[in-house]
Amino acid sequence: MTTHEIADGRVYVVGDAIETLQEYEGEAAAIFLDDAWARPRRYGHFGVEYDTHPFNDEQDAEGYVDTSITTKEVIDACYDALMDGGWLICDADDWLLPRLITHIQDEWGDVAQSYKGGGYRKVGGVTYTKSDGTPDRSTAGMYLSTGGYPVVFAHKNETDRQTAESARQIASNPRDDYDWGSVKPISPYESWIEGLVDPEELILVPCAGTAPAALAAESLYGDDARYACIDNEEGAYEAFKQRRQDEITRVRQESL
Ligand SMILES: C[S@@+](CC[C@H](N)C(=O)[O-])C[C@H]1O[C@@H](n2cnc3c(N)ncnc32)[C@H](O)[C@@H]1O
């Protein structure tokens, strides 16, 4: 495990997600997870060339390259790393979504049904638009395109972190993939972090890649942002550094 210091209170750890999450037990106000899930035949497509792992130990062997951890275990490690009332916000797709919701309902609770305690709260999502504002239908799919992705919201036990910010956001599809693949836009995370996390509170970004949630926290809270990104590949850290530099340049140019 190598910890790269980005700035005061901000690190990018190159190491395993589960091992590293264990270092932060009960500390995170929010965790933003875009897991390296292994939908069958996902590896090698859609720019996915990093380790992917099965949802659980029973998943069919086809389509993943790393059997050392499962998505279920990552979710459970996220639970332990959250403080009471902290939020888990997970990107998903059509395959992952029902599995994710079922697991969280079973293990964390189902607050969407019970209206008390914690657990699964709701499904939101991100809809991609083109530069003219119309929906981007470039997502592959001959049985309807989605032009975006669903996002699952859950919290650990009861929470007083509340916001009327929309769980459904609109964003443009990131143009650059930083040679990493599955790169997500920053702006939806800005909305959710502003609603649910205060400055100086810790956010965790396991399976971080270019870590758009961390960049969102920095763009909102500047030096008061606190985050730990975690990815098991040094190449992901390099991609993050490049994206962060581009963001700094973009913000400087906008202020001129
Ligand atoms: C879906 S991608 C994240 C992309 C990110 N949302 C972005 O916008 O750049 C999942 C990431 O999980 C990482 N990963 C795979 N197995 C991991 C593990 N065991 N521990 C930590 N990271 C892992 C991959 O290297 C990959 O960068």
Side-chain angles (χ1 to χ4, degrees):
M1 189 189 296
T2 310
T3 300
H4 298 280
E5 179 132 6
I6 308 299
D8 199 22
R10 282 164 271 168
V11 294
Y12 196 111
V13 179
V14 177
D16 179 67
I18 292 178
E19 265 173 45
T20 313
L21 283 166
Q22 284 165 353
E23 310 267 311
Y24 290 95
E25 196 176 326
E27 287 186 43
I31 299 183
F32 295 88
L33 175 65
D34 183 10
D35 185 59
W37 76 85
R39 150 196 206 129
R41 292 180 291 284
R42 184 169 189 237
Y43 182 76
H45 298 94
F46 313 112
V48 174
E49 280 170 13
Y50 41 74
D51 285 357
T52 52
H53 44 251
F55 188 80
N56 56 32
D57 290 333
E58 291 92 54
Q59 189 185 326
D60 189 305
E62 189 184 15
Y64 56 81
V65 296
D66 175 13
T67 53
S68 61
I69 63 170
T70 65
T71 300
K72 262 188 177 182
E73 290 166 344
V74 178
I75 301 290
D76 296 344
C78 288
Y79 186 86
D80 293 338
L82 281 172
M83 57 177 67
D84 265 347
W87 283 79
L88 175 69
I89 298 174
C90 283
D91 300 346
D93 74 347
D94 305 331
W95 179 87
L96 180 64
L97 184 68
R99 291 163 174 81
L100 203 54
I101 293 175
T102 303
H103 180 66
I104 293 173
Q105 285 169 328
D106 289 348
E107 299 297 323
W108 300 34
D110 187 0
V111 72
Q113 176 174 284
S114 62
Y115 287 100
K116 56 178 190 288
Y120 165 70
R121 171 65 73 173
K122 66 173 63 188
V123 178
V126 172
T127 299
Y128 283 143
T129 54
K130 297 193 286 192
S131 52
D132 64 2
T134 57
D136 176 353
R137 303 199 195 286
S138 61
T139 315
M142 37 199 299
Y143 303 98
L144 305 169
S145 65
T146 54
Y149 51 94
V151 179
V152 173
F153 292 78
H155 48 84
K156 178 173 175 174
N157 301 328
E158 255 174 58
T159 191
D160 53 10
R161 296 172 186 276
Q162 295 168 350
T163 178
E165 186 54 69
S166 180
R168 296 166 200 269
Q169 296 282 321
I170 293 171
S172 53
N173 203 339
R175 271 168 303 195
D176 199 335
D177 72 357
Y178 297 91
D179 288 330
W180 201 246
S182 312
V183 165
K184 298 288 171 56
I186 294 172
S187 61
Y189 296 111
E190 285 177 342
S191 305
W192 298 325
I193 290 172
E194 189 165 31
L196 299 171
V197 182
D198 288 330
E200 298 187 5
E201 287 191 310
L202 179 67
I203 69 162
L204 295 176
V205 191
C207 297
T210 61
L215 299 177
E218 250 176 344
S219 105
L220 273 174
Y221 296 146
D223 287 344
D224 287 338
R226 281 189 64 215
Y227 60 71
C229 311
I230 310 159
D231 201 288
N232 66 342
E233 296 215 34
E234 196 69 35
Y237 168 58
E238 296 301 326
F240 166 77
K241 278 196 302 189
Q242 185 57 53
R243 192 173 191 186
R244 184 169 182 267
Q245 196 48 54
D246 287 0
E247 272 307 294
I248 291 169
T249 308
R250 189 186 59 77
V251 170
R252 267 201 207 118
Q253 278 168 351
E254 271 180 11
S255 66
L256 290 177

